[in-house]
């Protein structure tokens, strides 16, 4: 644990330094400052390396760029980006071709070129298959151009046309070039931004035409590769000035894929990454500074309506969400303007595939909708409808934000609303998706190995903490007899999972355990009043809590009181130790009100009394006991929180909105069960109304109440509570929304088990079919040896997909004798993390068998699938056992 903590702190320090440069705008060194989180572009750097110096015949003008190309070839033979495991991503293909052309231009790096050719030969098909013919627009334009450029340079790349996907890419490029104009107001970036890759047959783009396009804000002077090509063709001074400024800014020789960079775009993406990876707790001050800078721009600039630039819509909608979540007063019209522009609205609706990432961002921005913001409601309905239609398609033309699992994230977003998702599981999802491939913003890769390492180590640390705390909670629950009462729902793990997954991990252990213990007590006591206790027994217990005296109590009543007494004493002692004040009386009064409300509801149920709707809500808002959870925790979250507010919560609007929202959520999903049990429910109390009408009325009230709560939670000046306390209210609402989103999941014994396993038990690396260890790609070697020493080649005809692509990359580069010892694990079966290594071993056996016995290929794959199923079952059995033990 100490080693993990020190590693985390070291990573935090390095990232803080980079963010500080981003805040200060310090570009004194390569990619420090605004380019800190945008990777250098080997492709664009290669184009600058091709530029000849007109003053020195046979010499490169930008030698630093050429030197960078020579010095930065990956040991496996490629140039360009890698994923979190070090495997090449899709941009490595055009980047490697461009770098080889640059070296051949100056008759340098013959071994580099040989290694690059070996890499292309061995891995082009593998990488392309992993994308399933869903290639970004920029790649579809650039990659064919680089193949043609390599041919022109005399390189033997004809074999690439034997790959089916490459022919498809050439065909798709032809469609794009036929469909689009060189400068098209509806395409961003326009084809002119890819000037260097356009084929000669597309248009006669002579020197005069290029010069006429060299305006300062034009696409050529925003793309280093296009500007380099323009200078090679024209020698124009404006291109030269642009390239010289660029190289002076990037002193190491590596240039970015776009220049100048949109600073606000990078800043909002940085903040978004930090938050979605679960790392914001380490960088609160830096996030505040970044968003303050973004807010100044957001407030002062007008929305860019010209040409419907998707990147600006993406940036502005993301900025809106981030700023509003931090309490800034921002108008949604900054990005919702297109709703009132018929031309823009029609273009987005008719070309929604090209706006998929933008629509995804707009939909997420509408999560933070306040009352009366009809423009956000309209944007949510439109973006959802278009995203649902997008999901029915097999591919996307999106050129703004690209990662292979964009479709997965859209499905995830549409399936369960943000208000019903737990932050901890959202962090896990984003880590796993980000590990699959870098996030592309156009040609630029927005990726940081340090960020990913920190996110993984932090998640593992948090999981370890949560597991330990759940064990402590389980021991406490068993010690005080709450687990074994027999009649109650056993929800210890549910209660802890809910509070741990929603409350920021930066809060100390006391906050999570106070909420979890309170929830466990509330569940058992509420069930006792609902199902087990007779009316007299319930009256005695309530009176005992009122006087805080257990004399005369027996059986279950005594168990509940003693557990409550222990909890209150322990909580009060912790508060005395931290704040020096005794809040025992306040806590007892808070709990008594809850018990008294349960008694009133039990009396209604057992006597057949039908309360008015007003009386029902007055009691029901207390009996849901959500205020008990948040107000006790607030004492420890905010040292300035006055103890008197424990009993004056009725004066705090945000607390009242939370109590009403959670009561309505419960009633909407439990009215059928409560009707059968003879209990009261708001849905059943509507006079002279059909059930459907009652549900519609309650849903409308709930929707407005949640929006009010959200506004109070995010905006300053509406309540007397601190930001931390208001965030606690919002987190608690999300917990209840999760439990009662589409059904009463809290009453189900199994509905939440998978979520609990992912949150606390299953490590990140066991979520996909891949080995835990990583070896770098070897230098173009795609052969393996079986135990007899015979070498063989692997074919590339298995099912497509990212997992299979990774396995193929491994299979094509590792030696058989490195993997053969893994067969021993088949007989051991002791390690969960080793189970997937066994699966990979089975895959390797299948590949060898398939190569040797073609006619058994289909049955071989069935065997591999069966092995995987058995191993997965074994892994989940071990995790299920851990959950049951908890």
């Amino acid at each position: 644990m100490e080693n993990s903590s020190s590693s985390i702190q070291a990573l935090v320090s390095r990232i803080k330094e980079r963010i500080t440069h981003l805040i200060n705008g310090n570009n004194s060194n390569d990619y420090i400052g605004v380019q800190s989180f945008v990777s250098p572009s080997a492709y664009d750097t290669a184009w600058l390396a091709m530029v000849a110096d007109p003053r020195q015949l046979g010499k490169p003008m930008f030698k630093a760029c050429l030197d960078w190309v020579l010095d930065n070839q990956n040991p496996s033979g490629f140039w360009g980006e890698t994923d979190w495991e070090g495997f090449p991503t899709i941009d490595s293909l055009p980047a490697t071709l461009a770098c080889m052309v640059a070296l051949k231009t100056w008759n340098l790096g013959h071994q580099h070129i040989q290694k690059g050719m070996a890499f292309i030969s061995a891995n082009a098909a593998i990488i392309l298959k992993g994308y399933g013919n869903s290639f970004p627009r920029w790649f579809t334009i650039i990659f064919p151009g680089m193949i043609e450029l390599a041919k022109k340079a005399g390189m033997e790349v004809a074999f690439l046309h034997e790959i089916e996907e490459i022919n498809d890419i050439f065909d798709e490029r032809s469609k794009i070039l036929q469909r689009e104009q060189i400068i098209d107001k509806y395409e961003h970036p326009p084809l002119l931004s890819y000037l260097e890759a356009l084929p000669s047959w597309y248009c006669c783009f002579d020197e005069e035409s290029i010069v006429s396009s060299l305006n300062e804000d034009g696409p050529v002077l925003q793309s280093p590769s296009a500007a380099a090509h323009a200078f090679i063709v024209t020698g124009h001074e404006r291109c030269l000035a642009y390239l010289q400024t660029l190289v002076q800014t990037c002193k190491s020789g590596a240039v970015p894929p776009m220049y100048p960079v949109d600073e606000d775009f990078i800043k909002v993406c940085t903040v978004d990454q930090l938050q979605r990876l679960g790392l914001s707790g380490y960088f609160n001050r830096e996030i505040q500074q970044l968003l303050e800078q973004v807010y100044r721009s957001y407030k002062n600039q007008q929305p860019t309506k010209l040409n419907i630039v998707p990147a600006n819509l993406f940036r502005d909608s993301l900025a809106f969400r981030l700023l509003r979540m931090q309490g800034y007063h921002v108008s949604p019209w900054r990005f919702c303007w297109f709703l009132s522009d018929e031309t823009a609205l029609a273009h987005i609706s008719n070309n929604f595939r090209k706006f998929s990432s933008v629509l995804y961002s707009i939909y997420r921005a509408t999560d933070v909708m306040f009352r009366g913001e009809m423009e956000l409601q309209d944007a949510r309905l439109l973006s959802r409808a278009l995203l649902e239609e997008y999901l029915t398609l097999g591919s996307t033309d999106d050129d703004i934000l690209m990662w292979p699992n964009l479709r997965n994230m859209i499905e995830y977003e549409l399936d369960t609303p943000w208000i019903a998702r737990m932050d901890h599981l959202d962090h896990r999802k984003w880590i796993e998706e980000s590990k699959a491939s870098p996030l592309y913003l156009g040609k630029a890769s927005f990726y940081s190995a340090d960020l990913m390492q920190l996110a993984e180590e932090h998640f593992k640390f948090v999981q370890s903490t949560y597991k330990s705390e759940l064990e402590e909670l389980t021991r406490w629950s068993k010690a005080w007899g709450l687990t074994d009462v027999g009649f109650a729902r056993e929800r210890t793990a549910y209660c802890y999972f809910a509070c741990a997954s929603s409350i920021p991990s930066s809060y100390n252990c006391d906050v999570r355990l106070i909420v979890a213990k309170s929830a466990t007590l509330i569940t058992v006591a509420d069930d006792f009043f609902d199902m087990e206790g007779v009316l007299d027994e319930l009256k005695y217990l309530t009176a005992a809590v009122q006087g805080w005296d257990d004399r005369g109590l027996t059986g279950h009543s005594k168990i509940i009181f003693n557990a409550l007494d222990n909890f209150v004493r322990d909580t009060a002692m912790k508060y005395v130790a931290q704040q020096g004040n005794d809040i025992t009386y306040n806590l007892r009064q808070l709990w008594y009100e809850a018990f008294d409300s349960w008694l009133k509801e039990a009396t209604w149920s057992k006597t057949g009394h039908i309360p008015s709707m007003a009386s029902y809500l007055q009691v029901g808002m207390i009996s849901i006991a959500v205020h008990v959870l948040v107000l006790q925790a607030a004492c420890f979250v905010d040292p300035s929180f006055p103890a008197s507010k424990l009993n004056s919560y009725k004066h705090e609007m945000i607390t009242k909105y939370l109590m009403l929202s959670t009561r309505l959520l419960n009633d909407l999903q439990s009215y059928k069960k409560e009707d059968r049990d003879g209990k009261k429910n708001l849905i059943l109390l509507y006079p002279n109304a059909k059930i459907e009408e009652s549900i519609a009325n309650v849903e409308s009230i709930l929707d407005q109440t949640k929006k009010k709560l959200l506004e109070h939670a995010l905006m300053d000046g509406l309540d007397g509570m601190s930001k931390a306390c208001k965030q606690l209210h919002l987190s608690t609402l999300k917990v209840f929304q999760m439990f009662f989103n589409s059904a009463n999941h809290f009453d189900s014994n199994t509905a939440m088990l998978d979520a609990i396993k992912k949150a606390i038990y299953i490590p990140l690396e066991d979520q996909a079919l891949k080995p835990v260890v990583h070896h770098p790609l070897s230098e173009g070697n795609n052969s393996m040896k079986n135990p007899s020493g015979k070498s063989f080649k692997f074919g590339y005809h298995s099912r497509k997909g990212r997992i299979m692509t990774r396995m193929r990359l491994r299979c094509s580069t590792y030696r058989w004798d490195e993997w053969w010892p893994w067969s021993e694990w088949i007989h051991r079966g002791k390690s969960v993390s080793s189970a997937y290594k066994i699966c990979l071993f089975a895959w390797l056996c299948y590949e060898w068998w398939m190569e040797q016995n073609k006619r058994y290929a289909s049955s071989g794959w069935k065997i591999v699938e069966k092995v995987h199923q058995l191993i997965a079952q074994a892994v989940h059995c071990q995790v299920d056992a851990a959950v049951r033990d908890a």
Side-chain angles (χ1 to χ4, degrees):
M1 191 69 75
E2 290 182 4
N3 290 338
S4 175
S5 179
S6 60
S7 174
I8 287 174
Q9 289 306 316
L11 287 167
V12 168
S13 297
R14 289 206 298 269
I15 296 169
K16 275 180 179 283
E17 182 179 356
R18 295 171 60 196
I19 297 177
T20 300
H21 288 300
L22 178 60
I23 293 168
N24 296 334
N26 181 355
N27 289 306
S28 61
N29 196 7
D30 161 297
Y31 297 104
I32 296 177
V34 73
Q35 298 158 8
S36 295
F37 292 91
V38 178
S39 59
S41 170
Y43 173 81
D44 289 84
T45 303
W47 270 100
L48 266 73
M50 296 180 205
V51 176
D53 189 341
R55 297 166 300 181
Q56 301 182 62
L57 188 62
K59 299 288 183 181
M61 173 168 283
F62 304 113
K63 187 175 183 300
C65 296
L66 182 60
D67 290 341
W68 187 92
V69 171
L70 283 166
D71 296 338
N72 285 273
Q73 184 179 29
N74 188 281
S76 301
F78 66 90
W79 286 267
E81 294 300 317
T82 61
D83 64 13
W84 72 286
E85 292 181 297
F87 289 106
T89 57
I90 192 171
D91 82 297
S92 64
L93 296 177
T96 298
L97 289 173
C99 287
M100 290 192 298
V101 171
L103 294 176
K104 193 171 180 62
T105 299
W106 305 110
N107 198 27
L108 295 173
H110 302 294
Q111 291 185 344
H112 293 71
I113 295 173
Q114 289 178 356
K115 289 172 64 176
M117 289 297 295
F119 167 80
I120 294 289
S121 175
N123 297 292
I126 303 173
I127 294 172
L128 294 174
K129 285 179 186 295
Y131 281 78
N133 285 326
S134 181
F135 302 106
R137 172 173 166 269
W138 64 264
F139 181 83
T140 304
I141 297 170
I142 286 175
F143 187 43
M146 292 307 98
I147 293 176
E148 292 167 343
L149 184 66
K151 287 181 182 177
K152 187 176 179 181
M155 296 181 183
E156 296 294 332
V157 292
F159 68 91
L160 288 173
H161 287 283
E162 298 175 6
I163 300 173
E164 179 182 352
E165 287 77 8
I166 289 182
N167 293 322
D168 292 340
I169 292 171
F170 270 85
D171 291 341
E172 183 60 29
R173 183 188 68 165
S174 297
K175 294 177 183 177
I176 291 175
L177 298 181
Q178 292 170 10
R179 183 174 62 238
E180 298 179 15
Q181 300 296 320
I182 189 72
I183 299 179
D184 193 325
K185 69 177 183 177
Y186 290 130
E187 298 297 340
H188 185 83
L191 289 175
L192 191 57
S193 298
Y194 309 109
L195 177 63
E196 77 285 354
L198 298 180
S200 57
W201 58 261
Y202 174 63
C203 61
C204 297
F205 220 58
D206 55 19
E207 180 176 338
E208 182 179 349
S209 301
I210 294 175
V211 170
S212 65
S213 69
L214 296 178
N215 54 308
E216 292 182 1
D217 295 328
V220 173
L221 297 186
Q222 293 178 353
S223 169
S225 54
H229 177 75
F231 180 73
I232 292 172
V233 173
T234 68
H236 199 278
E237 292 182 358
R238 186 171 288 174
C239 292
L240 177 60
Y242 170 86
L243 296 173
Q244 288 175 333
T245 301
L246 174 62
V247 172
Q248 289 171 4
T249 300
C250 308
K251 298 185 184 302
S252 73
V255 302
M258 52 196 175
Y259 184 85
V261 179
D262 184 337
E263 295 187 20
D264 287 341
F265 201 129
I266 303 304
K267 289 173 182 176
V268 295
C269 287
T270 299
V271 173
D272 190 51
Q273 280 289 86
L274 292 172
Q275 292 183 349
R276 298 184 78 175
L277 292 171
L279 304 177
S280 57
Y282 297 112
F283 305 100
N284 283 324
R285 186 172 65 87
E286 289 79 10
I287 287 174
Q288 290 175 1
Q289 291 175 315
L290 286 170
L291 290 181
E292 179 61 35
Q293 293 178 348
V294 172
Y295 176 65
R296 287 198 292 268
S297 299
Y298 196 92
K299 182 174 61 174
N300 296 330
Q301 295 178 1
Q302 293 298 315
T304 304
K305 300 184 181 182
L306 183 63
N307 294 353
I308 319 176
V309 178
N312 291 347
L313 274 177
F314 181 91
R315 177 200 63 205
D316 291 346
S317 56
L318 179 56
F320 171 82
R321 177 189 172 92
L322 296 174
L323 290 170
R324 176 160 282 190
M325 290 290 288
Q326 289 293 317
Y328 288 93
H329 291 272
V330 287
S331 170
W333 279 110
R334 178 60 189 271
F335 71 92
C336 287
W337 62 265
F338 68 91
L339 293 171
S340 60
D341 186 314
E342 293 185 5
T343 302
L345 184 60
H347 177 67
I348 292 173
S349 300
N350 294 332
N351 298 275
F352 61 88
R353 292 194 306 173
K354 298 178 181 179
F355 287 84
S356 55
S357 59
V358 175
L359 292 167
Y360 171 73
S361 180
I362 289 173
Y363 186 79
R364 292 183 67 232
T366 63
D367 287 336
V368 288
M369 186 192 317
F370 296 161
R371 291 171 299 159
E373 293 184 326
M374 298 309 299
E375 65 273 29
L376 284 180
Q377 182 65 37
D378 292 343
R380 187 172 185 85
L381 292 174
L382 174 69
S383 58
R384 183 179 184 92
L386 295 178
L387 288 172
E388 287 174 344
E389 189 170 354
Y390 159 80
L391 291 177
T392 66
L393 305 175
S395 63
T396 176
D397 294 329
D398 192 286
D399 204 35
I400 303 303
L401 183 147
M402 175 74 185
W403 73 95
N405 296 321
L406 174 60
R407 179 179 299 272
N408 291 348
M409 292 307 303
I410 292 174
E411 290 175 346
Y412 182 73
E413 198 72 36
L414 299 184
D415 182 60
T416 306
W418 163 78
I419 197 70
R421 300 200 306 265
M422 297 295 93
D423 292 347
H424 181 57
L425 291 180
D426 271 1
H427 298 157
R428 179 191 184 105
K429 178 72 173 178
W430 190 248
I431 292 170
E432 291 175 340
E433 297 297 339
S434 298
K435 284 165 62 178
S437 176
L439 175 67
Y440 283 97
L441 309 174
K443 285 192 299 178
S445 168
F446 189 87
Y447 184 79
S448 167
D450 283 347
L451 268 183
M452 289 308 305
Q453 184 181 349
L454 176 59
E456 284 200 84
E457 293 196 17
H458 171 73
F459 191 88
K460 292 175 184 177
F461 178 80
V462 169
Q463 272 195 321
S464 175
T465 301
Y466 288 173
K467 184 177 180 182
S468 175
E469 290 176 3
L470 177 54
E471 291 170 354
E472 180 182 343
L473 176 65
T474 303
R475 288 193 297 269
W476 175 84
S477 184
K478 288 182 178 179
W480 289 99
L482 299 177
T483 304
D484 304 318
V485 292
F487 61 83
R489 295 164 291 178
E490 207 300 289
R491 294 293 182 266
T492 305
Y494 275 35
C495 292
Y496 180 79
F497 156 72
C499 73
S501 295
S502 59
I503 296 175
S505 59
S506 56
Y507 289 174
N508 63 36
C509 170
D510 289 340
V511 175
R512 289 188 292 272
L513 288 179
I514 285 170
V515 176
K517 287 180 180 180
S518 298
T520 304
L521 277 165
I522 289 168
T523 302
V524 174
D526 184 51
D527 285 352
F528 182 62
F529 276 80
D530 278 350
M531 300 183 296
E532 185 69 11
V534 298
L535 196 55
D536 286 342
E537 191 176 15
L538 302 180
K539 291 179 180 178
Y540 289 140
L541 175 56
T542 304
V545 174
Q546 183 181 20
W548 216 262
D549 187 347
D550 67 341
R551 284 178 294 181
L553 294 181
T554 59
H556 295 136
S557 294
K558 188 171 182 62
I559 289 173
I560 292 171
F561 182 88
N562 288 343
L564 177 61
D565 181 56
N566 169 265
F567 169 76
V568 169
R569 289 175 185 271
D570 184 58
T571 303
M573 287 175 60
K574 284 184 171 67
Y575 192 82
V576 169
Q578 291 187 18
Q579 305 296 329
N581 299 322
D582 187 0
I583 59 172
T584 302
Y585 174 78
N586 306 85
L587 294 175
R588 288 177 176 179
Q589 285 298 112
L590 189 66
W591 279 97
Y592 165 66
E593 289 184 356
F595 274 78
D596 186 53
S597 68
W598 295 330
L599 177 61
K600 289 178 182 177
E601 289 184 339
T603 302
W604 294 341
S605 178
K606 295 178 187 300
T607 62
H609 174 73
I610 300 177
S612 66
M613 293 178 65
S615 297
Y616 173 82
L617 279 179
Q618 184 179 7
V619 174
M621 287 170 61
I622 298 174
S623 68
I624 198 71
V626 67
H627 64 298
V628 177
L629 300 175
V630 295
L631 295 178
Q632 291 177 126
C635 293
F636 294 86
V637 168
D638 178 14
S640 65
F641 184 82
S644 60
K645 285 194 175 183
L646 285 169
N647 310 115
S648 61
Y649 56 86
K650 295 177 183 178
H651 303 297
E652 296 292 344
M653 292 305 299
I654 189 171
T655 306
K656 291 176 67 175
Y657 292 145
L658 177 63
M659 294 165 69
L660 178 57
S661 297
T662 51
R663 168 48 62 192
L664 297 182
L665 281 167
N666 178 87
D667 284 15
L668 280 168
Q669 296 300 339
S670 58
Y671 73 90
K672 291 181 180 179
K673 178 179 180 298
E674 290 176 343
D675 189 26
R676 291 193 300 267
D677 295 343
K679 294 190 291 184
K680 303 301 176 285
N681 184 292
L682 186 62
I683 302 293
L684 307 173
L685 292 177
Y686 266 88
N688 303 319
K690 297 180 180 179
I691 290 294
E692 294 78 11
E693 295 173 346
S694 299
I695 291 173
N697 288 332
V698 172
E699 287 178 339
S700 177
I701 296 171
L702 174 61
D703 179 65
Q704 292 302 309
T705 305
K706 289 192 297 184
K707 288 176 180 176
K708 292 176 185 177
L709 189 153
L710 184 63
E711 186 172 4
H712 278 250
L714 298 181
M715 296 293 106
D716 293 332
L718 300 179
D719 286 279
M721 289 189 177
S722 67
K723 203 170 193 68
C725 290
K726 293 192 295 184
Q727 185 62 44
L728 196 61
H729 282 71
L730 179 57
S731 297
T732 307
L733 173 63
K734 294 186 69 175
V735 167
F736 275 77
Q737 186 75 58
M738 172 193 66
F739 280 133
F740 300 106
N741 186 49
S742 57
N744 187 343
H745 297 307
F746 191 76
D747 283 351
S748 169
N749 292 326
T750 59
M752 304 307 301
L753 290 183
D754 284 343
I756 293 172
K757 285 185 272 185
K758 288 182 178 180
I760 302 175
Y761 294 103
I762 300 178
L764 289 168
E765 60 265 27
D766 287 335
Q767 283 302 99
L769 178 57
K770 56 180 181 287
V772 177
V773 297
H774 162 64
H775 302 282
L777 287 166
S778 65
E779 298 181 6
N781 175 30
N782 68 330
S783 66
M784 299 174 65
K785 293 182 179 180
N786 62 21
S788 67
K790 181 180 178 181
S791 297
F792 60 90
K793 293 272 186 176
F794 286 105
Y796 300 131
H797 48 277
S798 67
R799 62 172 61 178
K800 298 178 182 179
R802 292 292 295 172
I803 292 175
M804 292 300 102
T805 298
R806 274 200 175 80
M807 296 177 71
R808 283 174 151 316
L809 284 169
R810 289 185 174 88
C811 292
S812 67
T813 55
Y814 296 159
R815 297 273 180 191
W816 180 266
D817 52 14
E818 293 180 13
W819 298 83
W820 185 252
W822 284 10
S823 61
E824 297 178 10
W825 271 304
I826 293 178
H827 304 293
R828 296 179 192 167
K830 294 181 180 180
S831 170
V832 172
S833 63
S834 299
Y836 289 100
K837 297 178 184 177
I838 303 172
C839 231
L840 184 54
F841 167 77
W843 167 259
L844 297 178
C845 291
Y846 159 68
E847 282 276 16
W848 177 80
W849 185 23
M850 186 171 62
E851 190 69 20
Q852 304 299 317
N853 305 278
K854 300 280 188 180
R855 60 196 179 97
Y856 296 118
S858 60
S859 59
W861 175 245
K862 291 179 182 178
I863 291 175
V864 174
E865 282 190 323
K866 185 63 176 175
V867 172
H868 179 215
Q869 291 169 5
L870 293 173
I871 292 169
Q873 290 172 10
V875 172
H876 284 285
C877 283
Q878 295 186 36
V879 177
D880 286 337
V883 174
R884 286 196 298 271
D885 291 344

